[in-house]
Amino acid sequence: MSKDTPSSGQDQFANKAQAWSARFSEPVSDLVKRYTASVNFDQRLAAVDIQGSLAHADMLASIGIISQQDYSDIQRGMAQILQEIEQGAFEWSIDLEDVHLNIEKRLVELIGDAGKRLHTGRSRNDQVATDIRLWLRAEIDTSIDLLRQLRRNLAELALQHADTIIPGFTHLQVAQPVTFGHHLLAYAEMFERDAQRLADCRKRVNRLPLGAAALAGTSYPIDRDRVAKSLGFDGVCRNSLDAVSDRDFAIEFCAAAALIMTHISRLSEELVLWMSPRVGFIDLADRFCTGSSIMPQKKNPDVPELARGKTGRVNGHLIALLTLMKGQPLAYHKDNQEDKEGLFDSADTIRDTLTIFVDMVSGIRVKPEAMRAAALQGFATATDLADYLVKKGVPFRDAHETVAHAVRTCEEKGCDLADLPLEDLRAFHASIESDVFDVLTLEGSVAARNHIGGTAPERVRLEAQRVLDETSAVN
Ligand code: ARG
C-alpha cells in the first residue's frame, strides 16, 4: 500500500499493525493472525462496505459530528479506494484483519484525520452486519430474476410440448400418461415458490443494523432513518443487541438456497435419466456435456450431475450456519465471522447453477416418439378404463378388480389394453362398449384431465401462457 498522503502528526493508527493494538503487549503469532483474519474472503464486501461508510459519513455530517469538509474528503478518498480495488491495485493486508480495517487504514493514508473520524458512532459489529445485508440483498435480487428466466424458459418449452405425451411415474413404475408440458410446468411451480421464499427473506434482510454500534447503541444523536433511506433499507433494526448478533436472515437465505438446489437436483436427476440411451427421451446440447477419455461413444450429462452434487455443499452451509448461531449468547461474537464463506458459496452456487439452467433448459431436444413409445408400455390407461366403468354405473372397487384381470390377460398376451378387440374387453364387463377406445388411447386419457392442475393439453397451454405472462421482463 503506498503512503502518498501524510496523516496528522499524532498518528496512532496508520503506523500500527492493528487498529486496536495499543492495548496489547505482544503481537499475535502468524498462525493466529491467519486464523483470525477474514480479509481473504470478506474483501468481496468492499463495494458495499464503502457504500455503507459513505451513508454513515453523510449522516454524521448532517448532524454536525463531522464537518462538510470531512465528508467531502471521505467521499474523495473512498472514490479513489474503490477505483484501486476495481483495478486490482489495492494492497490487501492480512495484518489489517478484515475488509473494514483495510479500507479504513487506506482512507487515513489518503485523507488524514477526516478518515479517522469516519468510525465515530459506529463499530465493525454493526458495520459488518450492514455490509452482509447490502450484499445479500443484491444477490437475492439477482437470483429472483434468474428464477424468473428459468420459469419462463420452462413455460416456453411446455407450450411447445403441451400435446407431447410421456409416461407419468409413481414408484418409478409407469402410472398414467401425462403431457411433457405438464411435467415441465411442475418445475415452474417449484421455482416460483423458491422465488417467493427469496422475496420473503428479502424483507427481513432489508433492515439497517448501523446505529447499533458495538452492541448498546451510541451516545451520538444519530439519524438512523436517514442512513436507512440512503442505503435503500425498508427500516432499521429495532434492537441494538439483536442487530449486531443474529444472522437469522442469512440462515433463511441459505435455507431458500438449499431448497432451490433441491429442486434443481430433482430436475437434474430427471435430465440424467431421460438422456440415458436406455430411456432416450431427450438430448442435451453438447455444450452441457462432456465425453469420456477412454470410451469414445460417451456423451455424459456432466452439468446436471454436478448440479445434483453441488446440492450437498449448499445443504451443508445451512447446517453450518444454524450450528454457528445456536450457542451464541447476546451480543456479537467472533463466531459470526464464520458466516461469510458458506453464505458466499451458497449465493455463488445458486447464481451459477441457475444461470446455466436457464440456458440448458431452452436447449433441451425432445424426442416425442420415444416418450410416446414408453407411455404405450405399462398399461398407463388402466385407470381410465376403471373410470370408464364407474361412469357406466360400476362401483369403483369392482371396476378396479375388473381392470386388474384385463391387465393380467394383456400381460399374458403381450399386448396393450387398447390392442384387445371389443369382444375380448366385453368378456371382462358387459357394460364395455365401442366408445371405450376413446379413453383407452393416450390422447383420450390426458385430454380428459382438463381441470385446474390437470395434464390436458388445453390446460397446459393455459398454464404455460399464464407463466409466460407473469414472467415477462417488463413485470
Ligand atoms: N471481520 C468481522 C466479522 O466478520 C468484523 C467484526 C469484528 N468485530 C470485532 N469486534 N472483532 O464479523
Side-chain angles (χ1 to χ4, degrees):
M1 216 179 281
S2 67
K3 306 249 189 301
D4 50 4
T5 309
S7 188
S8 71
Q10 298 282 307
D11 194 338
Q12 296 178 333
F13 179 45
N15 299 329
K16 285 199 158 65
Q18 273 90 15
W20 38 257
S21 56
R23 156 86 174 70
F24 292 81
S25 57
E26 59 172 1
V28 295
S29 72
D30 282 350
L31 177 58
V32 170
K33 201 186 284 174
R34 191 158 53 73
Y35 195 76
T36 53
S38 55
V39 66
N40 287 340
F41 52 85
D42 69 13
Q43 56 182 264
R44 69 186 289 175
L45 295 174
V48 286
D49 191 66
I50 290 172
Q51 195 190 350
S53 288
L54 289 175
H56 180 66
D58 158 74
M59 184 277 290
L60 291 179
S62 78
I63 57 170
I65 300 288
I66 64 171
S67 67
Q68 280 301 327
Q69 184 58 51
D70 284 343
Y71 177 41
S72 59
D73 286 350
I74 290 169
Q75 284 179 303
R76 178 172 50 82
M78 286 301 199
Q80 175 167 340
I81 291 171
L82 192 58
Q83 202 181 29
E84 288 175 0
I85 292 169
E86 281 167 2
Q87 291 171 348
F90 191 93
E91 281 178 42
W92 297 101
S93 164
I94 200 173
D95 289 334
L96 293 164
E97 208 175 307
D98 58 24
V99 61
H100 323 290
L101 295 177
N102 269 269
I103 290 177
E104 192 181 332
K105 169 91 183 293
R106 178 70 180 136
L107 187 69
V108 173
E109 277 179 5
L110 289 172
I111 66 169
D113 283 354
K116 294 188 204 162
R117 293 196 184 99
L118 170 64
H119 211 53
T120 313
R122 182 177 81 164
S123 153
R124 276 185 296 156
N125 297 353
D126 57 347
Q127 186 179 357
V128 70
T130 303
D131 290 3
I132 301 171
R133 285 169 185 261
L134 284 172
W135 178 87
L136 188 54
R137 186 178 69 189
E139 287 297 321
I140 288 174
D141 291 344
T142 302
S143 289
I144 289 177
D145 194 59
L146 286 168
L147 287 165
R148 178 189 66 77
Q149 293 176 45
L150 181 54
R151 283 159 59 215
R152 190 167 180 76
N153 290 355
L154 284 166
E156 260 162 21
L157 195 62
L159 203 54
Q160 287 165 31
H161 292 284
D163 297 280
T164 305
I165 291 175
I166 55 164
F169 295 92
T170 57
H171 314 274
L172 220 53
Q173 309 286 323
V174 171
Q176 292 177 343
V178 295
T179 49
F180 188 51
H182 191 55
H183 195 115
L184 293 169
L185 287 176
Y187 286 99
E189 290 289 307
M190 295 177 221
F191 294 128
E192 180 181 5
R193 292 194 295 276
D194 288 333
Q196 288 168 352
R197 258 184 290 275
L198 285 180
D200 198 58
C201 166
R202 189 190 196 280
K203 293 183 207 159
R204 287 174 287 281
V205 168
N206 205 28
R207 299 266 152 189
L208 175 77
L210 268 183
L215 77 166
T218 172
S219 56
Y220 299 97
I222 54 171
D223 182 352
R224 298 187 69 203
D225 287 332
R226 183 184 176 103
V227 182
K229 205 163 160 223
S230 67
L231 292 174
F233 284 112
D234 295 328
V236 304
C237 298
R238 305 203 63 88
N239 181 292
S240 62
L241 297 163
D242 175 48
V244 294
S245 66
D246 206 340
R247 296 288 184 265
D248 57 355
F249 63 92
I251 295 173
E252 273 191 59
F253 174 82
C254 286
L259 275 169
I260 289 171
M261 288 308 289
T262 297
H263 292 150
I264 284 281
S265 182
R266 297 186 66 192
L267 175 57
S268 296
E269 173 71 6
E270 302 222 78
L271 294 174
V272 171
L273 275 173
W274 291 342
M275 214 183 112
S276 153
R278 283 291 174 110
V279 178
F281 286 178
I282 62 157
D283 209 4
L284 290 178
D286 283 0
R287 63 183 181 282
F288 303 109
C289 303
T290 59
S292 158
S293 57
I294 176 170
M295 296 165 283
Q297 84 283 12
K298 294 294 286 295
K299 177 177 164 185
N300 298 327
D302 287 34
V303 168
E305 287 171 31
L306 255 180
R308 193 175 56 191
K310 282 178 188 287
T311 308
R313 65 204 282 166
V314 176
N315 286 353
H317 297 322
L318 170 62
I319 298 302
L321 244 70
L322 282 166
T323 312
L324 167 79
M325 203 71 245
K326 73 174 272 294
Q328 286 190 54
L330 291 171
Y332 177 87
H333 298 87
K334 190 81 165 181
D335 313 38
N336 276 350
Q337 182 165 288
E338 284 288 307
D339 63 357
K340 287 171 203 61
E341 286 161 292
L343 180 65
F344 293 163
D345 188 65
S346 288
D348 289 344
T349 305
I350 62 167
R351 187 175 359 84
D352 289 352
T353 305
L354 290 172
T355 304
I356 289 172
F357 270 64
V358 166
D359 187 18
M360 192 167 66
V361 158
S362 46
I364 292 176
R365 193 166 70 77
V366 178
K367 301 179 181 171
E369 330 71 50
M371 291 178 171
R372 193 185 160 78
L376 284 169
Q377 287 161 17
F379 311 105
T381 58
T383 315
D384 297 86
L385 181 55
D387 289 342
Y388 171 89
L389 289 168
V390 168
K391 284 171 194 157
K392 300 272 176 179
V394 181
F396 183 77
R397 278 289 156 232
D398 294 342
H400 186 281
E401 178 83 1
T402 301
V403 177
H405 286 301
V407 165
R408 235 170 110 174
T409 303
C410 284
E411 251 171 1
E412 281 158 21
K413 292 192 169 179
C415 69
D416 189 45
L417 285 168
D419 299 331
L420 290 177
L422 183 59
E423 318 74 85
D424 290 15
L425 284 167
R426 284 179 65 84
F428 295 110
H429 208 287
S431 58
I432 294 180
E433 291 164 76
S434 62
D435 61 351
V436 74
F437 293 106
D438 297 342
V439 304
L440 282 185
T441 62
L442 298 175
E443 284 72 19
S445 173
V446 293
R449 289 162 168 79
N450 190 4
H451 52 76
I452 294 177
T455 191
E458 192 186 335
R459 195 53 68 171
V460 170
R461 269 185 280 276
L462 284 173
E463 283 297 313
Q465 195 53 56
R466 183 185 60 77
V467 175
L468 287 175
D469 292 345
E470 251 180 47
T471 55
S472 67
V474 283
N475 274 350

